Amino acid sequence: QLQLVAPGGGLVQPGGSLSLSCVASRIMFSAYTMGWYRQAPGKERELVAEVMWGGNTKYKDSVKGRFTISRDDAKNTVYLQMNNLKFEDTAVYYCSARHWTMTSTNYWGQGTQVAVSS
């Protein structure tokens, strides 16, 4: 189970920042690559960032230098710090857990709306 921590997303002005947190339970957290996906209306779901056990990370090109993904294995928590938000970052954001032996996501969080608008 993955649970986004309230308040999570929300409305933010361009250039602003938001932080998302997702807590995992009833899984062997260290065995999972944790990630953040987003889906905008009418668009395909896309991987935003991913962090493996040990801290190795990957980012979608458009968020590099602006977003930071991290994990705290002791707290079974994955974070996404989003800075310098842009209009195109508007989407529903989901946390994900993918077992390191798998190529597809095994667990999804409930999702939270991030809206970047003036």
Side-chain angles (χ1 to χ4, degrees), residues 1-53:
Q1 180 181 341
L2 302 179
Q3 179 67 51
L4 284 163
V5 177
L11 178 65
V12 63
Q13 294 184 353
S17 297
L18 282 175
S19 182
L20 305 179
S21 300
C22 179
V23 179
S25 62
R26 291 182 284 277
I27 65 171
M28 187 65 68
F29 191 73
S30 63
Y32 287 83
T33 294
M34 303 300 298
W36 291 94
Y37 286 77
R38 67 187 183 189
Q39 187 168 22
K43 297 185 180 297
E44 298 291 329
R45 182 180 60 192
E46 61 183 4
L47 177 65
V48 176
E50 197 171 53
V51 58
M52 297 178 288
W53 175 85

Side-chain angles (χ1 to χ4, degrees), residues 74-95:
K75 297 180 179 179
N76 288 356
T77 302
V78 61
Y79 306 91
L80 184 67
Q81 177 65 48
M82 300 181 287
N83 298 324
N84 192 23
L85 284 159
K86 303 177 179 180
F87 291 117
E88 57 263 38
D89 296 319
T90 296
V92 176
Y93 284 71
Y94 301 87
C95 61

